[in-house]
Amino acid sequence: MIQLQHVSKTFKVGKNKIEALKDVSLEIKKGEIFGVIGYSGAGKSTLIRCVNLLERPTGGRVFVDGVDILSLNKKNLQKLRRKIGMIFQGYNLLATATVYDNVAIPLMLEGVPKHEIKARTEKYLEIVGLKERSGAYPSQLSGGQKQRVAIARALAHEPEVLLSDEATSALDPNTTDSILELLLKVNRELGITIFLITHELDVIQRICDRVAVMEKGRIIESGTVVDIFTRPKEAMTKQFVRNESRFRIPSHVYRDLLATGRLVNLTFLGESAKDPALATLAKRYDVLPSIIAGGIDQLKDQSIGNLLVHLKGEADQVSEAVRYLRSGHIVVEEVSG
Amino acid sequence: MADFFNEWGDTIWEGFIQTMQMTGISLLFSIIIGIPLGVLLVLTRKNGQAENLAFYTVLNTVINVIRSIPFIILLFFILPFTKLIAGTTIGVKGVIVPLVVSCAPYIARLMESAMLEVNRGVIEAYQSMGISTPKIIWHVVIREARSPMILGLTIATIGLIGETAMAGLVGAGGLGDLAYQFGHVRFQPDVMYAVIIILIIIVQIIQSVGNAFARKLKKD
């Protein structure tokens, strides 16, 4: 659906050149939700803006639906942009127009017939759950409601792709949840491909199928969300995943535990969740496993369980036990403090 | 009081009409010229939707130069131009040209600053929906800026009324001229006071109407 090939973007600020994107390649498949995560300044925003050419790449190629969009003239680019909806962190609604008009005006400007404007506006305001607020002005709405209007506005063009530029970053956690639910619904029920960027791992975790991690203008790691969560490779990815999903345990507790045995972090996924791993461990080897902390992360289609386990016993028995754990489907990671 | 009105009523009425004519006609032309100039300033500036720095620099400089010249000097300075355009340099007709030359760049500036206040993100959102620049200017930029634009036009109108007072120098009449000729030159302060009161009322009305209108358009 969307392909970026060796895309780079250099900004000139006075005499300095800033490389916002360095040789970025990625592919977003039809029907999926693809997320890019990174800290601010990583180049995510520039990247997503290259997909509808709000930002023109200085190198590389961008394909949407097989079309090399950098070769399009102004008119065809405008046509293409109508197939790509976009929502923003700042909502970007007309302050002087009602909720209804915010959805209807772009359709009118696009030349959609009158009766259809009405039908579409009502349909999509209904989908985002704001039909009753049609006559309200944006200043009378909450942040979440404003984002819903922006989503309705984007959907009303009946796009194939929705770009989301930090759409939930200005919202509180509850509102973020409800907007993410809405995006999932848009993806599942309307079949719209979603490309989003965010600095919140929660967003990736909740709705994305695949994810790319960005740092300093490059994509340093990418894969399915499950892979990134269970087997992060790069330091920054680990930092992201840890910050959110691992347990905050005081360092002196770690020290005490490490003094009396070994600590392993076990990640259970799908089938492996059904294995009675710890019970087997205690039976087969001469070790005493004790659970220090645990939790479950809900991903889009499955859950991931995490356990921090302390293994006490003779060194060789503990090593055997760890080897046993590693032989199954469980992802085992030794914790060293 | 009645005597005063009998003696001066017609003269003051005539001055009022002349002031209104001068203000109204020059305002109309100034808006017709000033708003597009303001739009051009916004479009051609750095990072504008039709960035053209050469054009912007020229337009920007011309506007600054004209705005630097005090109206009373401009009035005489452009006499040949006035003659060329209006065919005359005296009377109401002769003063419209300098008033427009003075006011249109001012309006362009006021419109520019009003339009620059429009959230860039909204403009970007409309670009991302594949909407053309002219449509964005009209339906987004001018629509969103209309409240500060009205306030700007209110300021320009009041400035224009002040300038019409100097129009007396080319025999265009008007309230300002009346106050100067009778109140100052012939030392009849009651005429001056009457004119001042009328001017105060006019300015108050214009400002209040402008404010009310701007508030109504603001919607938030």
Side-chain angles (χ1 to χ4, degrees), chain B residues 17 20 121 132 158 189:
Chain B
I17 293 297
M20 287 297 114
S132 66
I158 291 168

Side-chain angles (χ1 to χ4, degrees), chain A residues 47 68 138 191 193 208 335:
Chain A
L47 179 69
D68 178 359
T193 309
C208 289
V335 181

Side-chain angles (χ1 to χ4, degrees), chain B residues 136-173:
Chain B
I136 291 179
I137 291 291
W138 183 252
H139 292 277
V140 178
V141 178
I142 292 183
R143 182 194 175 100
E144 288 288 278
R146 59 196 187 181
S147 175
M149 282 172 81
I150 292 292
L151 289 178
L153 290 179
T154 308
I155 294 169
T157 309
I158 291 168
L160 208 46
I161 291 175
E163 289 181 343
T164 62
M166 289 171 241
L169 292 168
V170 292

Side-chain angles (χ1 to χ4, degrees), chain A residues 80-96:
Chain A
L80 174 96
R81 280 178 171 173
R82 290 173 194 159
K83 290 203 297 188
I84 308 174
M86 189 167 191
I87 54 174
F88 307 83
Q89 181 172 2
Y91 324 122
N92 296 344
L93 302 174
L94 292 174
T96 55

Side-chain angles (χ1 to χ4, degrees), chain A residues 27-229:
Chain A
E27 184 180 356
I28 293 144
K29 294 176 192 146
K30 202 170 173 66
E32 76 174 338
I33 303 187
F34 190 99
V36 171
I37 189 168
Y39 292 116
S40 49
K44 311 180 298 280
S45 216
T46 310
L47 179 69
I48 201 168
R49 292 157 58 90
C50 281
V51 176
N52 59 6
L53 298 194
L54 280 181
E55 212 76 78
R56 236 168 214 282
T58 40
R61 304 219 279 173
V62 182
F63 294 90
V64 175
D65 239 356
V67 179
D68 178 359
I69 63 170
L70 285 160
S71 68
L72 294 177
N73 62 22
K74 209 170 159 187
K75 213 171 186 128
N76 286 329
L77 175 63
Q78 281 177 359
K79 255 189 207 159
L80 174 96
R81 280 178 171 173
R82 290 173 194 159
K83 290 203 297 188
I84 308 174
M86 189 167 191
I87 54 174
F88 307 83
Q89 181 172 2
Y91 324 122
N92 296 344
L93 302 174
L94 292 174
T96 55
T98 60
V99 165
Y100 183 92
D101 285 340
N102 261 294
V103 179
I105 287 173
L107 294 176
M108 186 259 292
L109 297 182
E110 201 181 295
V112 175
K114 246 187 180 150
H115 62 276
E116 199 177 336
I117 293 179
K118 189 167 184 286
R120 280 207 226 169
T121 304
E122 284 171 358
K123 174 181 170 192
Y124 289 102
L125 281 176
E126 175 92 57
I127 286 176
V128 301
L130 274 181
K131 210 175 167 193
E132 296 73 38
R133 303 300 314 266
S134 288
Y137 285 93
S139 59
Q140 300 162 324
L141 303 178
S142 70
Q145 288 173 322
K146 284 184 211 172
Q147 198 58 283
R148 282 168 189 274
V149 179
I151 292 172
R153 177 176 71 180
L155 295 180
H157 297 266
E158 313 202 313
E160 291 170 32
V161 185
L162 182 65
L163 306 177
S164 163
D165 184 353
E166 299 272 11
T168 57
S169 299
L171 304 174
D172 64 61
N174 284 337
T175 315
T176 295
D177 276 355
S178 73
I179 294 293
L180 294 180
E181 281 302 321
L182 178 58
L183 290 179
L184 262 185
K185 180 169 142 186
V186 164
N187 175 248
R188 283 178 177 155
E189 291 174 20
L190 306 175
I192 294 174
T193 309
I194 299 180
F195 179 26
L196 62 86
I197 62 162
T198 183
H199 62 261
E200 300 167 306
L201 190 74
D202 198 42
V203 172
I204 300 288
Q205 182 184 325
R206 290 277 314 276
I207 68 171
C208 289
D209 299 297
R210 291 195 304 140
V211 59
V213 184
M214 229 181 150
E215 189 183 25
K216 292 179 189 155
R218 289 180 200 282
I219 288 185
I220 56 168
E221 189 168 357
S222 66
T224 66
V225 174
V226 174
D227 280 347
I228 296 287
F229 262 80

Side-chain angles (χ1 to χ4, degrees), chain B residues 64-211:
Chain B
N64 281 345
V65 167
I66 295 176
R67 301 243 309 117
S68 311
I69 307 171
F71 180 68
I72 197 152
I73 296 168
L74 186 79
L75 195 60
F76 295 108
F77 180 64
I78 64 162
L79 277 178
F81 178 69
T82 307
K83 177 97 184 167
L84 183 75
I85 300 286
T88 176
T89 58
I90 54 167
V92 169
K93 217 175 152 192
V95 86
I96 299 289
V97 173
L99 281 174
V100 171
V101 169
S102 158
C103 186
Y106 186 37
I107 288 184
R109 265 296 173 247
L110 291 165
M111 297 304 105
E112 179 195 21
S113 63
M115 286 186 269
L116 286 178
E117 288 304 305
V118 174
N119 180 356
R120 262 198 87 81
V122 182
I123 297 170
E124 244 171 22
Y126 276 73
Q127 286 174 330
S128 81
M129 289 186 270
I131 289 160
S132 66
T133 304
K135 283 178 177 169
I136 291 179
I137 291 291
W138 183 252
H139 292 277
V140 178
V141 178
I142 292 183
R143 182 194 175 100
E144 288 288 278
R146 59 196 187 181
S147 175
M149 282 172 81
I150 292 292
L151 289 178
L153 290 179
T154 308
I155 294 169
T157 309
I158 291 168
L160 208 46
I161 291 175
E163 289 181 343
T164 62
M166 289 171 241
L169 292 168
V170 292
L175 287 172
D177 185 47
L178 197 65
Y180 175 74
Q181 292 297 344
F182 291 90
H184 181 71
V185 179
R186 296 194 210 168
F187 202 66
Q188 281 177 300
D190 48 352
V191 177
M192 188 157 66
Y193 296 148
V195 168
I196 289 171
I197 290 169
I198 293 170
L199 285 173
I200 290 173
I201 294 170
I202 295 175
V203 169
Q204 288 289 346
I205 290 173
I206 291 175
Q207 189 67 57
S208 309
V209 170
N211 286 349

